[in-house]
Amino acid sequence: MKQHWLVRPGTIRLLWAVFLFVLALTALAGLFTEGRARFGIDGSLAFYAWYGFLSCIGMALVAKVLGRLLQRKDSYYDRD
Amino acid sequence: MTVISAMPPGLPLVLGALLLPLFGLRIRAALVLGLPLLTLALIWQVPDGATLQVAFLEYELVPVSGDRLSRLFATVFATMTFACGLFALNRARVIELVAALLSAGSAIGVSFAGDLITLVAFWELLALSSTLLLWSAMTEQSYRAGMRYLVIHLLGGALLMAGVIGHVADTGAVTFTAMALDSPAHWLMLAGFLMNAGAPPLSAWLPDAYPEASPTGMVFLSAFTTKTAVYVLLRGFPGAEILIFIGLYMIFYGIVYALLENDMRRILAYSIVNQVGFMLCGIGIGTELSLNGTAAHAFAHITYMVLLLMSAGSVLYMTGKRKCTDLGGLFRSMPLTTICGIIGALSISAFPLTSGFISKSMISQAAADETMAIAWLLLTAGSTGVFLHAGIKFPWFVFFQKDSGLRPPDPPLNMRLAMILCAFLCIAVGIWPAPLYAILPFPVDYDPYTRTHVIEMLQLLLFSGLAFFIMLPYMKRTLTITLDWDWFYRWLGPRAISQVTQVLSRWHAHSRIGFLRRLGSLFGMLFLYHGPQGILARTWATGSMVLWVVILLGIYLVAYYY
């Protein structure tokens, strides 16, 4: 069966390239904002980029740890 | 005019709902689509202030009292009833449509309730009709989940009722206005309201119950209950600081649990809790900007949540599958559902040009204006988390990721039209926010589309996207659920009770034997002395009686001499 064009490895490589380019662009565009340092930290270079990235990594890790403690088979309650 | 404006806008929906089973398909369809539109027209006939007053016992009830906030919420309730009705048309059971219109009517009833007694009445009707809506999926799971839903909501209703009674006893007034948290009665009312908002610790009812509804049922369910709670909190407790903390908890609870979840509709259920968290923060901050932001966000949220659930509902309806592990690659055969799902996902993530962008940013801006640094940082982190769990995770695992081999077509025409309508609303409100801003409770002096704000938001969201794809190996879905506070009443409670009853019954059996033995010996003794031959009960001869009298008299005589 022919692969859908969206899932061909070439397309995926292209999408990654475009994505990284756009990321660089938005980070650069940060230089042209009226840096609103309301709390100090939010005035740092490309604050929203690194803060967004790190908080996502952080949340995914917290979820992972919590999952270790709290995840059960999805038939857990079915026995009742 | 006066007659029309005094007509409770929710009434046609409630009465119409009860008539639905009497008619055939055609008239039923006309009612399901026509009644919400009629309601919408009635909503905009309600002027400011009380238009209907009824004496009840010694109280003056105000079943219809309008202002900008009531009209805003009632408008989105009615609009979404139309959209969901279109989605469910000819697909849902009659009983489901009855329950859906009843809950829409009661949510609109709450929005216009000018007094607390009317409020409680519609509040309870909403709980009952939502339970009926759940049960109309007619499965064993939906029956059990509906039972748990009902218990929690009746408990919430009881707390609210107790609070209202206390409030009336304290103040003598039944009017529903803003209250301070200065008496036990008001705390009880707050607790009752929060129960419906999905606040901790009893938030698990939402992800527990909603995903057990039918594909069309959950679309209806998502629209009314939690947002009615947001409305009453917005009117009753603006500026109550505790709501900021509760809201922040709900934001991160929603994100973390959604990240761990495998059931696509449960992912969205967690994101309802998460989004209501943002609204509670807005209410807690309590400035005009944040209250406006909360109201606008509730409006935007109902629309994109309904859209997201319609796309998930379409997938479930067409494939019968609900787990991310079973799904994937559906974009090939369900292009429209995919696009609408993505539009909903972008809106919930507050992407520029969508409805979430013009509403949620007002709440973060209000936190920044009040120099609440920690709250602002957490709200911003929360925004990235929304993109992570709902913005990318939901569409990625359902429509892309691996090829599941499933090739279902897009759903039937009415479902497609309903999704297109909601997607249109999400984008229209995002591009052209002025009409929404014009009907918010306070005058709006806010422009979301400044260059700085757009660039900041793009940085935030795109880099969260990068984080998602980097972390993808860790996000792999497994056949699991995540334990929540409901473990206490679904697992521990029943087991604790059965343990206690076991111990008690063993003790009972033991003590019963001992007791019976002692009782037996007691009866034996009684029988010995008092039985037919017992010394104290048998018939004595007259002679022995005379003998005893003589002895007694003799003793008496002897005693007398000394």
Side-chain angles (χ1 to χ4, degrees):
Chain A
M1 196 167 63
K2 210 169 127 265
Q3 264 189 329
H4 192 281
W5 62 269
L6 202 56
V7 294
R8 283 178 210 145
T11 322
I12 291 173
R13 267 199 304 279
L14 182 71
L15 283 176
W16 265 107
V18 172
F19 184 45
L20 291 175
F21 177 70
V22 172
L23 282 177
L25 216 60
T26 49
L28 272 180
L31 297 174
F32 302 100
T33 57
E34 315 141 21
R36 300 183 289 183
R38 289 164 297 204
F39 310 114
I41 191 176
D42 57 336
S44 63
L45 185 67
F47 167 74
Y48 289 84
W50 66 257
Y51 185 67
F53 182 78
L54 289 184
S55 47
C56 278
I57 301 276
M59 279 181 283
L61 290 178
V62 168
K64 196 81 199 153
V65 172
L66 205 68
R68 281 277 156 78
L69 293 173
L70 294 178
Q71 273 185 323
R72 296 289 183 277
K73 276 212 181 68
D74 60 2
S75 55
Y76 182 74
Y77 286 118
D78 295 349
R79 287 169 289 165
D80 309 335
Chain B
M1 178 70 197
T2 45
V3 177
I4 291 179
S5 64
M7 169 119 149
L11 199 62
L13 282 174
V14 172
L15 294 181
L18 301 177
L19 293 178
L20 279 185
L22 303 179
F23 297 110
L25 273 181
R26 252 161 223 271
I27 300 183
R28 208 184 296 147
L31 282 175
V32 169
L33 296 179
L35 287 172
L37 296 179
L38 172 68
T39 307
L40 202 56
L42 285 175
I43 288 166
W44 285 90
Q45 297 298 323
V46 178
D48 283 353
T51 49
L52 179 65
Q53 277 163 320
V54 186
F56 173 72
L57 304 177
E58 67 239 50
Y59 304 108
E60 193 67 28
L61 301 194
V62 191
V64 185
S65 165
D67 69 358
R68 299 171 71 89
L69 188 63
S70 328
R71 278 193 296 268
L72 177 76
F73 272 83
T75 302
V76 67
F77 287 148
T79 316
M80 284 304 115
T81 311
F82 175 82
C84 300
L86 180 60
F87 186 74
L89 215 58
N90 307 336
R91 312 286 153 207
R93 292 188 175 84
V94 185
I95 185 75
E96 184 179 308
L97 292 173
V98 172
L101 292 195
L102 270 178
S103 48
S106 26
I108 292 170
V110 170
S111 319
F112 281 107
D115 69 274
L116 294 167
I117 297 175
T118 311
L119 179 90
V120 170
F122 280 120
W123 191 265
E124 296 293 355
L125 187 59
L126 179 59
L128 294 179
S129 48
S130 304
T131 310
L132 190 60
L133 194 46
L134 266 170
W135 280 342
S136 58
M138 308 262 181
T139 59
E140 173 69 21
Q141 289 93 325
S142 77
Y143 171 74
R144 285 165 165 270
M147 237 7 171
R148 291 191 292 270
Y149 178 92
L150 186 63
V151 168
I152 296 286
H153 285 265
L154 291 184
L155 176 64
L159 288 176
L160 175 62
M161 188 73 195
V164 168
I165 293 170
H167 174 81
V168 174
D170 288 347
T171 62
V174 289
T175 328
F176 179 36
T177 49
M179 290 165 281
L181 285 171
D182 53 4
S183 69
H186 290 168
W187 279 102
L188 281 172
M189 284 173 74
L190 181 74
F193 288 162
L194 282 174
M195 206 79 122
N196 266 24
L202 292 177
S203 50
W205 62 264
L206 204 161
D208 172 28
Y210 283 6
E212 301 305 337
S214 74
T216 47
M218 186 171 171
V219 181
F220 280 112
L221 280 169
S222 74
F224 305 121
T225 302
T226 49
K227 263 57 75 178
T228 309
V230 169
Y231 163 80
V232 291
L233 287 167
L234 202 48
R235 182 175 294 282
F237 297 101
E241 211 167 80
I242 188 174
L243 293 178
I244 301 181
F245 300 102
I246 298 176
L248 286 172
Y249 174 91
M250 287 165 72
I251 290 176
F252 290 100
Y253 158 87
I255 293 169
V256 169
Y257 274 74
L259 283 176
L260 294 170
E261 187 53 53
N262 187 28
D263 182 319
M264 63 170 168
R265 291 199 302 167
R266 196 164 284 142
I267 294 177
L268 296 177
Y270 283 120
S271 68
I272 296 178
V273 179
N274 159 281
Q275 293 296 301
V276 171
F278 279 98
M279 293 175 218
L280 293 199
C281 281
I283 300 171
I285 294 170
T287 59
E288 284 196 359
L289 179 63
S290 77
L291 296 178
N292 263 346
T294 305
H297 198 48
F299 188 101
H301 164 78
I302 298 177
T303 318
Y304 58 65
M305 209 65 230
V306 161
L307 176 58
L308 281 167
L309 285 166
M310 280 178 178
S311 85
S314 300
V315 169
L316 176 62
Y317 184 75
M318 300 307 292
T319 64
K321 295 187 189 307
R322 48 194 278 186
K323 293 173 184 168
C324 289
T325 37
D326 296 335
L327 295 165
L330 297 181
F331 76 95
R332 294 176 180 83
S333 58
M334 300 182 89
L336 184 86
T337 312
T338 308
I339 291 171
C340 288
I342 290 176
I343 291 175
L346 291 178
S347 302
I348 196 175
S349 320
F351 225 83
L353 302 182
T354 63
S355 56
F357 178 72
I358 60 107
S359 58
K360 194 160 70 182
S361 14
M362 293 169 97
I363 299 176
S364 321
Q365 181 63 42
D369 288 350
E370 295 297 292
T371 60
M372 298 174 170
I374 307 249
W376 180 82
L377 281 172
L378 290 175
L379 282 172
T380 310
S383 298
T384 66
V386 176
F387 192 45
L388 201 61
H389 83 271
I392 311 184
K393 183 184 166 175
F394 165 70
W396 173 259
F397 280 106
V398 174
F399 299 112
F400 301 100
Q401 60 150 341
K402 63 182 202 285
D403 183 6
S404 61
L406 298 168
R407 293 288 185 274
D410 269 318
L413 182 66
N414 62 313
M415 291 179 145
R416 295 204 300 270
L417 286 177
M419 284 195 283
I420 292 171
L421 172 68
C422 291
F424 169 77
L425 279 175
C426 284
I427 292 185
V429 171
I431 293 179
W432 194 37
L436 175 60
Y437 283 174
I439 58 170
L440 292 182
F442 303 103
V444 177
D445 175 29
Y446 179 74
D447 177 19
Y449 286 105
T450 63
R451 191 181 56 201
T452 307
H453 184 213
V454 171
I455 292 176
E456 284 169 356
M457 207 62 200
L458 284 177
Q459 281 187 0
L460 200 64
L461 295 177
L462 293 176
F463 277 88
S464 329
L466 178 67
F468 177 83
F469 286 107
I470 288 179
M471 299 291 283
L472 202 53
Y474 296 98
M475 302 262 188
K476 219 168 156 247
R477 293 295 86 238
T478 46
L479 286 167
T480 50
I481 57 160
T482 313
L483 299 186
D484 198 339
W485 291 99
D486 64 347
W487 179 80
F488 285 98
Y489 59 82
R490 290 181 70 181
W491 198 93
L492 185 65
R495 273 162 187 75
I497 289 174
S498 84
Q499 278 295 319
V500 169
T501 41
Q502 264 178 31
V503 170
L504 277 183
S505 65
R506 216 173 299 140
W507 176 79
H508 176 246
H510 270 289
S511 56
R512 191 161 173 271
I513 294 168
F515 178 73
L516 282 182
R517 200 184 301 130
R518 238 164 287 154
L519 204 64
S521 60
L522 180 71
F523 279 137
M525 202 168 74
L526 281 177
F527 192 80
L528 190 64
Y529 292 109
H530 296 271
Q533 297 306 316
I535 194 159
L536 294 172
R538 64 172 180 234
T539 341
W540 291 358
T542 321
S544 66
M545 186 67 193
V546 172
L547 177 70
W548 278 108
V549 170
V550 169
I551 291 171
L552 278 177
L553 285 177
I555 293 169
Y556 177 70
L557 197 64
V558 172
Y560 183 76
Y561 272 111
Y562 295 98

